[in-house]
Amino acid sequence: MPLIIAHRGASGYLPEHTLAAKKLAFEMGADFLEQDIVASRDDELLVLHDVHLDRVSDVALRFPDRHRGDGRFYARDFDLDEIRTLSAWERMNADGSPVYPDRYPAKSGDFGFNTLAEELALVQSLNAEHGRTVGVYPEIKRPAWHREQGVDIAPLLLNVLADFDYAATPDQVFVQCFDAAEVTRLRKELNCPYRLVQLVGYNSWSEATTDYDQLWSPEGIRALAETADAVGPHVTHLFELNNVDSMPVVSDLVGVVRDAGLLIHPFTFRADDLPPGFHSFEDLVEFFVDVVGVDGLFTDFPDRVRALLQE
Ligand code: CA
């Protein structure tokens, strides 16, 4: 049975990365809860998807003068105490319109931001209450950029995980990153005791200096298996549309990944944003579970994936 990784929590229903979205994902039957990790000015690890705050909060209203030259409001320019005063909102586009119009109402709700430590405390208390073990799946966001800003996230992350005794139960943690140099460093220099997931995007995303064209090739995948335990590719890396009827067919590289011994945890399964070639969420999940044979999947809708897996 593939692992259900709640992508930013049950983010199809509640604003991403709020503790409420994580609690809901737990209740919906997720196996792992995802945390994106960004640092505040006072070097606190926040659970936040972007290095910016402006697409998911009221920061521009509350602190109108605190943007940088590009007009963006960076979490790194605010202390945790200031970030705690913000409202966490459903994700917006640059013009303030909702990214997903059918999700939680825009610019509303009584939600805030939290630290990684606060989320880990929540997960462990839910595990104890419910007698279930749901794991955690932190992503180090833009490690090279953070170092330029004077903070090194990876060692801080490993310290917080150790504070919560995860080193004693390393199977409850996957650590993920888009930056291949950081994944190698985690394994070889920082002796990360957890399973490592190399995320695979596209070079056009500018997430890292990693060359994803090289990485997502037979040679790249085989080399990756020396440091990583799993790959986290975008769903579109795993299939092609055939020329005749545009039906999805499994990419040849899936076999290379399997032969290299890597787990496959693709992102992101969204009922309200299907990739090309798929006409329903059910078809999408069925193809990836039954035909591709993924080991886990990142989804904004953990309840719907759980229901499909139980069928
Ligand atoms: Ca992520």
Side-chain angles (χ1 to χ4, degrees):
M1 190 86 93
L3 298 173
I4 299 176
I5 306 150
H7 182 247
R8 313 181 201 169
S11 57
Y13 302 96
L14 288 171
E16 65 184 47
H17 283 319
T18 57
L19 292 179
K22 301 301 166 77
K23 186 164 182 289
L24 183 59
F26 184 101
E27 289 161 358
M28 287 176 163
D31 298 300
F32 280 81
L33 304 182
E34 191 206 20
Q35 301 81 29
D36 292 306
I37 308 299
V38 167
S40 67
R41 182 164 63 189
D42 45 351
D43 291 351
E44 293 285 347
L45 297 187
L46 304 165
V47 182
L48 181 68
H49 180 263
D50 306 330
V51 298
H52 316 111
L53 287 158
D54 40 279
R55 301 285 163 85
V56 289
S57 80
D58 57 352
V59 66
L61 297 174
R62 300 287 317 290
F63 297 96
D65 305 327
R66 299 273 294 276
H67 57 82
R68 292 194 184 183
D70 61 2
R72 305 299 303 269
F73 296 76
Y74 288 73
R76 184 64 180 155
D77 298 338
F78 293 82
D79 287 334
L80 175 61
D81 283 348
E82 293 174 318
I83 292 170
R84 284 195 195 286
T85 69
L86 300 175
S87 292
W89 283 346
E90 181 63 33
R91 177 165 287 275
M92 301 173 279
N93 295 306
D95 66 0
S97 63
V99 171
Y100 298 103
D102 297 331
R103 295 192 179 185
Y104 198 83
K107 303 183 183 178
S108 68
D110 184 20
F111 305 106
F113 294 93
N114 54 271
T115 63
L116 173 64
E118 287 160 350
E119 181 164 331
L120 297 182
L122 172 73
V123 172
Q124 294 194 341
S125 95
L126 288 169
N127 282 343
E129 251 173 68
H130 293 260
R132 242 175 92 205
T133 302
V134 169
V136 298
Y137 208 122
E139 177 184 348
I140 298 169
K141 301 299 287 194
R142 299 183 60 183
W145 181 87
H146 272 102
R147 277 193 290 276
E148 287 167 16
Q149 305 294 316
V151 59
D152 191 6
I153 292 188
L156 297 177
L157 168 65
L158 296 178
N159 287 344
V160 175
L161 289 168
D163 289 346
F164 282 82
D165 291 329
Y166 279 108
T169 54
D171 56 328
Q172 291 180 27
V173 183
F174 284 94
V175 174
Q176 44 168 340
C177 194
F178 274 105
D179 186 327
E182 195 72 359
V183 171
T184 300
R185 176 180 177 240
L186 279 158
R187 175 95 322 137
K188 299 200 166 157
E189 286 175 37
L190 301 176
N191 300 315
C192 173
Y194 311 108
R195 285 174 288 183
L196 289 169
V197 184
Q198 174 66 54
L199 298 171
V200 184
Y202 290 97
N203 289 343
S204 60
W205 296 356
S206 304
E207 270 286 340
T209 53
T210 303
D211 180 353
Y212 298 106
D213 294 335
Q214 195 282 325
L215 193 146
W216 197 243
S217 67
E219 303 72 34
I221 290 164
R222 286 182 205 115
L224 185 59
E226 290 170 22
T227 48
D229 301 284
V231 286
H234 189 259
V235 287
T236 51
H237 282 305
L238 298 178
F239 69 93
E240 284 140 33
L241 297 179
N242 78 28
N243 293 329
V244 184
D245 53 8
S246 289
M247 289 292 284
V249 288
V250 180
S251 159
D252 293 341
L253 287 175
V254 169
V256 178
V257 176
R258 288 254 166 269
D259 290 345
L262 292 161
L263 300 169
I264 307 180
H265 292 179
F267 63 92
T268 305
F269 291 74
R270 295 182 169 114
D272 50 2
D273 187 12
L274 299 173
F278 295 93
H279 303 293
S280 71
F281 191 62
E282 290 67 27
D283 289 349
L284 176 70
V285 173
E286 189 180 307
F287 177 84
F288 276 88
V289 172
D290 295 343
V291 185
V292 180
V294 297
D295 302 289
L297 48 84
F298 289 87
T299 182
D300 296 1
F301 297 88
D303 57 333
R304 294 189 55 178
V305 176
R306 176 59 70 206
L308 289 165
L309 292 182
Q310 280 169 350
E311 272 178 16

